Amino acid sequence: MSSIKTFITDFGWPRIIIALFLLSLFVAAPIVGVDLGASIGDVLNRFGQNAIMVLALVPMVQSGCGLNFGLPIGILAGLLGSTITMQLGLTGLTGLLVAILITIVFGVIFGYLYGKLLNNVKGEEMTIAMYVGFSAVMLFSILWLVLPFNKADLVMGYAGEGLRRSIALEDYWGKLLNNFGQFSIGGTPIPTGLLLFVGLCVFFVYVFMRTRTGTAMTAVGSNPDFARASGVSVERMRTVSTVVSTVLGGIGILAYQQSFGWVQVYDAPLFMAFPAVSALLIGGASVTKASMVNVVLGTFLFQGILTMTPSVINNVLKNELSEVIRIIVTNGMIIYALTRKTKVAK
Amino acid sequence: MSTGTRLLSLHGISKEFYGNVVLEDISFDLDRGQIIGLVGENGAGKTTLMRILFGMPVIAETGGFNGTIELDGQPVAFKTPFDALDAGIGMVHQEFSLIPGFSTTENIALNRESLKPNFACDIFGKRMSVLDRVTMRERAVKAIHTLGVKLDPDMLVSEMPVGHKQFTEIAREIDRKNVKLLVLDEPTAVLTETEAEVLLSSMRALAAQGISIIFISHRLHEITKVADKIVVLRDGKIVKDVPVAGVSVQDIAAWMVGRDVKTKAAHLSVCKDSVYLNVEHLWVDMPGETVRDVSFQVMEGEIFGIGGLAGQGKLGIANGVMGLFPAGGQVTVGGQDVTLNNPHAALNSDIAFVSEDRRGVGLLLDESLEWNIAFTAMQAKRQHLIPVLGGLFSVRDEKSMKALALEYIESLEIRCTGPRQRAKELSGGNQQKICLAKAFALKPKLLFVSEPTRGIDVGAKAIVLETLRAYNRDYGMTIVMISSELEELRSICHRVAIVDEGKIAGILPPTADVAQFGLLMSGLGAGKNGDAA
């Protein structure tokens, strides 16, 4: 009995409730006539699409910069990476690798500047980050119009300049990772390449957080004065964490795009931070501590609910309640986590 | 004086945190007008016991406690501190909870202000009434008078010396109408000796009026002076519950630690003739501890003491050399210049520092003991790392971190559940040992220790001082020890410097007369001749 109790306190009630809810959706799916195999495939696919963006939040949480509501800045780096590569006409694996490379370059530059800014607003990072993210997206909305893109399938048809709202990736590297080594188990397609790529990124961050730098970063988040007295530059660690987070955000959107099949510019990155933050928090992270388990579990639970509710609930209720549920879950989780600042589930 | 009627009885109080038994079968009685001296090492369970008595929510949150509390013969179980206040229990904490911008009177009457109704009250109810400042002032004066101290009722708390703040806190508790029992947690820790004397006599006066007092203090001679009976806690159990008459300070100290406490210093090690640390014209801009112009030399293998009153700059010296606050001047260690304003450079010059701000600077409260002990060595010395891919990067070596933590847990007798326990769950004395372990793990040639025994008990104090002495003797470690406790400095140091107004007022051998130290501290030192030893 007591071991069950400890398990519940360790795991946290919210996660248990959400997991049970998700389980009940899976159980209900075949009853209301939803194809379970396809649904699970969907969940896996959306997990792969979003996990890296959730992962991108971890370094900044650990270094005490809070939840990176400025994730759109990294996403913009990713958008620059993919659009420039497409403009250059590179396709397939080469295209994707070049896109990643360009993303890293822009991610480092943006992240460095963004980190410098955050160092000047210690204690208010999350609020400032949100506005910085919004502003950057709007600034880029202008840039997408005026940057000299001129490839026919990128620009708006009638004007001949300015990027389209959505650009098809099909002829470039769309579904490249998804299709790599894909196989099916009982009608459930497994996006092997995508999951491997996510696994690689998770492993990278896991190892990174265990390096000397990663350890210093965690200590900075835990007690900046202690870290400083141990000879660690607090500002530098915070900047490094912001750079890593921004670069990962960019790579995250590349993974998302190739699976989704479209590059979306203009205001599309605006609200990308919220689902990621919410997923991390559902995973049991707090504002000051986050682990790889939080990332994987949280993304799975969050995307699971997002995928399953439309198909199941809509089939039952015959209305569009799913979007409402999605918004309540996303924002409710953020509020919940911000009110409990210290306690972390393992 | 005790009137013989029972006020409070505790029966078989037990409490555990996270499976750790911190209190076991605690029972004692308290009569009206009686003063109990409650003593015990840090971590013996005093604070927990008082929290239980006061109904602090942290107790209920961690699973409640066993046993019963009777007040006036009625069993009570307070759910919140407010219930305890209503029942007539007042508590004065070690840390002040006063509003700095309010006057003595306002602080004393806070939330119990005397009110004057006006016409608005008829419409909007009692909340609209105004303060009756005349009555409030009378109440404050009465409370201050009961205490028998001199306190200006109109002075702002922010302008008071510490002692007066402490008296204001106590006055606030006795201003309550039905107060029967006062709990004073280390009330004299921040007071000067004269102020402490005054406080002790006010306690007597209060007891004479029938108020019972539970007095917690590390200053044992105060306990023997003022208490009627003494209760000694050790490892969560009561080891002694005796009338104070005929009990000596040595007895109490021995009961507390369960072993003999060495009162006199062991012989000092012999230090070499070469200068190891040379500080010239150091200034440090540390708020509240400004160092203006300090020059001194420390010999290799010496234990050099720095004393002085609070706020005169003794703490600033170590913090400045370690680069934690803006500083200037010339510091050489072992012939090498130390770059100031750069903690990393200081650590790389084989200097380590144990900060006076244990919880703020000294520890990662939310991390494990392994991290706390090994982190600085990892960052400054690149130890406890495993190189990966031929040294391209390196990840932390958890095995060697654990081994390091276990080594110090054993050698410094750190009481904990294991190297994975989080630092914030340890008691003050054990936390201090963690801070020392962190510094020792750097294998420094020069160690700055700042207030190493502040807020820790006799037993832990002895271990800390003995450890410092042993490292000095066995490894030839040069130590600069900064402390407010002159006796401690005199018991361990080769020479003691006294800092006054940001400058060294003088340096004396430990055998010098106490009066001489006193003169230097009060800025009346005869000659500012620097190196008198």
Side-chain angles (χ1 to χ4, degrees), chain A residues 64-78:
Chain A
C65 294
L67 298 159
N68 184 10
F69 282 102
L71 191 66
I73 294 172
I75 293 177
L76 290 171

Side-chain angles (χ1 to χ4, degrees), chain B residues 360-393:
Chain B
V361 179
L363 292 169
L364 288 169
L365 291 170
D366 283 326
E367 309 290 346
S368 66
L369 302 184
E370 292 171 8
W371 273 58
N372 272 285
I373 295 174
F375 181 79
T376 311
M378 182 197 299
Q379 296 300 327
K381 307 266 163 173
R382 295 180 175 270
Q383 288 162 353
H384 313 293
L385 290 168
I386 310 170
V388 181
L389 297 180
L392 189 64
F393 64 96

Side-chain angles (χ1 to χ4, degrees), chain B residues 339-355:
Chain B
T339 320
L340 293 173
N341 304 314
N342 181 347
H344 195 73
L347 290 168
N348 271 339
S349 311
D350 287 326
I351 318 177
F353 176 45
V354 178
S355 173

Side-chain angles (χ1 to χ4, degrees), chain A residues 207 209-212 215-216 218-219 222-223 225-232 289, chain B residues 324 343-344 347 360-364 367 375-376 378-379 382 393-396 398:
Chain A
V207 172
M209 293 317 293
R210 296 175 77 84
T211 59
R212 180 165 165 265
T215 310
T218 309
S222 193
N223 181 354
D225 289 328
F226 177 95
R228 202 166 79 88
S230 296
V232 173
K289 283 262 178 297
Chain B
L324 298 179
H344 195 73
L347 290 168
V361 179
L363 292 169
L364 288 169
E367 309 290 346
F375 181 79
T376 311
M378 182 197 299
Q379 296 300 327
R382 295 180 175 270
F393 64 96
S394 42
V395 297
R396 58 176 185 263
E398 310 234 315

Side-chain angles (χ1 to χ4, degrees), chain B residues 101-169:
Chain B
F102 278 22
S103 70
T104 319
T105 303
E106 286 163 334
N107 269 294
I108 290 177
L110 195 66
N111 213 17
R112 295 189 306 272
E113 290 92 348
S114 311
L115 300 175
K116 230 179 350 196
N118 59 12
F119 73 93
C121 301
D122 300 332
I123 310 166
F124 299 110
K126 255 181 90 181
R127 297 192 66 83
M128 297 305 291
S129 43
V130 294
L131 300 185
D132 181 357
R133 291 194 175 268
V134 179
T135 324
M136 273 166 64
R137 194 167 190 281
E138 279 167 15
R139 276 169 54 197
V141 170
K142 190 175 156 239
I144 294 168
H145 184 74
T146 319
L147 261 181
V149 293
K150 275 204 181 118
L151 211 53
D152 180 355
D154 301 317
M155 192 185 229
L156 290 184
V157 165
S158 55
E159 291 163 5
M160 282 181 188
V162 236
H164 286 196
K165 290 185 188 167
Q166 187 76 66
F167 288 128
T168 309
E169 285 249 353

Side-chain angles (χ1 to χ4, degrees), chain A residues 116-130:
Chain A
K116 286 279 158 201
L117 176 80
L118 288 186
N119 278 342
N120 291 315
V121 293
K122 288 198 188 99
E124 293 294 329
E125 291 92 349
M126 289 197 270
T127 325
I128 305 283
M130 182 137 38

